[in-house]
Amino acid sequence: MPVTFNDANAPRFNGTSVRRPQDPPRGMVTPPPEIVAQVAKERAKFPAAIYTDAYAKRILDDRTLAYYYEGLDVAYRSVSQGVEVLAIGVEEIGQLVKGKTPEELLTFTIKEP
Amino acid sequence: MSRLAVPLLYRTLFASGDVLLRAEVDLLIKDDRGVWHQETFRVDSGAEMTTMFAPLAKQLGVPTPQHAVPNAVHAQTGLEIRSGVLRVQVVGMDATEYAFPCFFLGDPSGPPATPISPPAVPRTLLGLSGVINQLRITFDGDAGPGAPYGHLIVEKK
C-alpha cells in the first residue's frame, strides 16, 4: 500500500479538510493562482528541455485536481485552460456514463486525486 | 514488444518542502457490455493486489463478485473485499487485453463514503499479484525530456 502524507499546510485546506462531493467546482476549472506560482517556481529549477510545457501542464492538471477533489473520484478531461470536470463522486460518475457511446466514454478519464 | 514510458509525477509537501514522487498509468477497464472506461491507477510496488473501489466499479458496470471474502478486510480502510478480475488494456500500449486479479473494496451497493476528509487512502492501485507476470514494470529515476524525475516503464512480457 502507498504511504501518503497529510499536508495541512497546503493552500487548498483553507481551514477545513472536510469536503462533500457537492462542494467542489464543476465544469471548467482553472488552476488556482498559488498552484500556478508554485509550479512556475519549481519549473525554474530545471532546464526547459527537461521540464517541458507538456510536463508543466500535466503537473498543473494534477495539482488542480488534488486541490479541489482529493479523496473524491472525479471524471474529467484536460483542456487548454485547465481541467473540465464532468462528474464528482461515484453516483455522478454513474449518471455520466449512462447512455454514452463507447467513443464518448473515451473522451474523459476517471481519477481519484 | 509494446513499451510505455510515463513521466513520474511529483508534489511538494508544503510542510517540509520535500518532493514526493509517484507513478500513475491509465488503464481501459472493460465493463459487462464489453465497453471500455478510462481510469487512472497509481502504480504501487508495495501493493500486494490491485484494488478498486467497489461502488465505482458497479457504477461503471464492471463485474464484481456477489459476495465479500469472509474474514478478510482491507487493512488500511477496514472495507470488505471482493476477489475478482479486471479486464484491461494499457493506454499507450498495444491492444492486448489483460486480466488482472483485483480486490474490489467495499460494498458495491453501499452508499458512497461521504463526506471525505483528505487524505483518503488511495483505493485505485495497480499492485503486483497477477500483473508483473504479464507486464514488466520499472521505475527509472533518470531525468529526461519531459520527465524531470524520470519515468515509469511498462513493457509487455
Side-chain angles (χ1 to χ4, degrees), chain A residues 24-27 29 64-66 68-77 83-90 92-93 96 108-113, chain B residues 38-40 56 123:
Chain A
R26 285 162 174 75
V29 180
T64 301
L65 291 171
Y68 290 111
Y69 313 103
E70 185 176 0
L72 299 169
D73 295 290
V74 59
Y76 79 101
R77 60 171 67 103
V83 291
E84 182 183 6
V85 174
L86 307 172
I88 304 167
V90 295
E92 278 191 24
I93 291 172
L96 174 70
F108 59 87
T109 302
I110 299 165
K111 182 173 181 175
E112 181 189 7
Chain B
Q38 182 164 310
E39 179 155 8
T40 302
L56 177 60
R123 298 163 302 196

Side-chain angles (χ1 to χ4, degrees), chain B:
Chain B
M1 176 188 297
S2 185
R3 182 178 187 272
L4 175 68
V6 185
L8 295 177
L9 301 177
Y10 77 98
R11 68 182 175 113
T12 303
L13 196 67
F14 280 84
S16 70
D18 288 298
V19 172
L20 308 180
L21 303 181
R22 72 178 190 284
E24 294 180 348
V25 65
D26 287 341
L27 301 180
L28 299 182
I29 305 171
K30 186 184 267 186
D31 68 17
D32 55 8
R33 299 176 299 147
V35 174
W36 299 102
H37 303 262
Q38 182 164 310
E39 179 155 8
T40 302
F41 281 70
R42 183 179 294 209
V43 180
D44 183 6
S45 63
E48 298 169 307
M49 180 63 80
T50 295
T51 58
M52 183 177 180
F53 193 37
L56 177 60
K58 182 183 180 186
Q59 292 289 347
L60 297 181
V62 175
T64 57
Q66 189 172 359
H67 299 292
V69 177
N71 302 318
V73 295
H74 183 237
Q76 287 74 22
T77 61
L79 294 172
E80 62 189 49
I81 59 175
R82 282 168 167 75
S83 179
V85 172
L86 275 182
R87 298 196 174 278
V88 310
Q89 293 180 348
V90 182
V91 176
M93 296 180 69
D94 66 21
T96 300
E97 181 176 324
Y98 302 93
F100 293 155
C102 177
F103 284 169
F104 296 94
L105 306 180
D107 181 350
S109 301
T114 55
I116 292 180
S117 301
V121 175
R123 298 163 302 196
T124 311
L125 300 176
L126 186 65
L128 298 184
S129 303
V131 174
I132 59 172
N133 57 317
Q134 301 182 75
L135 296 173
R136 179 175 292 107
I137 298 176
T138 310
F139 299 92
D140 182 351
D142 290 345
Y149 294 101
H151 291 90
L152 166 77
I153 310 294
V154 183
E155 298 166 290
K156 182 180 175 183
K157 296 182 76 171

Side-chain angles (χ1 to χ4, degrees), chain A residues 17-100:
Chain A
S17 61
V18 177
R19 296 177 180 214
R20 300 166 299 169
Q22 61 266 39
D23 291 337
R26 285 162 174 75
M28 191 66 63
V29 180
T30 56
E34 58 265 48
I35 297 298
V36 174
Q38 183 194 29
V39 172
K41 183 179 174 184
E42 293 165 355
R43 186 177 187 181
K45 299 174 184 174
F46 292 90
I50 298 295
Y51 206 122
T52 59
D53 289 345
Y55 187 76
K57 169 63 172 158
R58 186 164 188 161
I59 294 299
L60 278 173
D61 286 355
D62 182 66
R63 299 268 178 92
T64 301
L65 291 171
Y67 186 96
Y68 290 111
Y69 313 103
E70 185 176 0
L72 299 169
D73 295 290
V74 59
Y76 79 101
R77 60 171 67 103
S78 179
V79 294
S80 58
Q81 308 95 314
V83 291
E84 182 183 6
V85 174
L86 307 172
I88 304 167
V90 295
E91 290 175 339
E92 278 191 24
I93 291 172
Q95 292 298 316
L96 174 70
V97 301
K98 281 181 184 170
K100 288 277 191 295

